[in-house]
Amino acid sequence: MFVTPAFAQGAAAPSGMDFISSFIPIILLIVIFWFLIFRPQQKRMKAHQAMLASVKRGDTIVTNGGVVGKVTKAVEGEDLELEIAPGVKIKVVRTMVADVRTKSEPVNDNK
């Protein structure tokens, strides 16, 4: 009745270019997140894994709990034994090492 022909017309179907251009901001955000968040996190994780693999007897380390001690026993892939005071030794899970403070020279057991 009172509807004009301009209101009765349907919307135009979106073309392929409009569809792609609507996703460009989302793709841009994914790229930004990748370079600012995911890549640096992966680099830190690789560096931490390399640090854990290089822990050996005689190194002074800091655990995630803040305990500082000297490694007295380090078997590949297992727990570490730390000496936190003279005669006081504790076992620590290798993945809980936060930092290696000092690297020591390899210890010779054949003395």
Side-chain angles (χ1 to χ4, degrees):
M1 284 209 213
F2 297 109
V3 178
T4 62
F7 293 128
Q9 293 177 355
S15 66
M17 202 59 171
D18 290 337
F19 184 71
I20 293 172
S21 66
S22 66
F23 281 109
I24 288 177
I26 295 171
I27 293 170
L28 233 144
L29 283 174
I30 290 171
V31 169
I32 289 171
F33 273 114
W34 176 261
F35 282 108
L36 293 180
I37 295 175
F38 298 128
R39 269 188 73 224
Q41 178 64 28
Q42 288 175 345
K43 286 183 180 182
R44 278 191 300 266
M45 190 172 62
K46 284 182 183 179
H48 189 255
Q49 292 296 328
M51 179 196 61
L52 292 179
S54 68
V55 171
K56 60 186 179 297
R57 197 171 129 206
D59 292 347
T60 302
I61 64 170
V62 180
T63 66
N64 285 342
V67 177
V68 179
K70 193 172 201 173
V71 178
T72 58
K73 182 180 175 185
V75 179
E76 188 66 33
E78 291 187 18
D79 299 340
L80 300 172
E81 188 174 278
L82 292 181
E83 184 174 22
I84 56 174
V88 179
K89 294 181 181 181
I90 61 172
K91 275 193 170 184
V92 177
V93 178
R94 186 179 288 265
T95 57
M96 296 304 288
V97 174
D99 189 28
V100 177
R101 285 236 175 127
T102 57
K103 298 292 285 180
S104 65
E105 294 299 318
V107 179
N108 189 359
D109 288 336
N110 298 331
K111 289 184 180 181

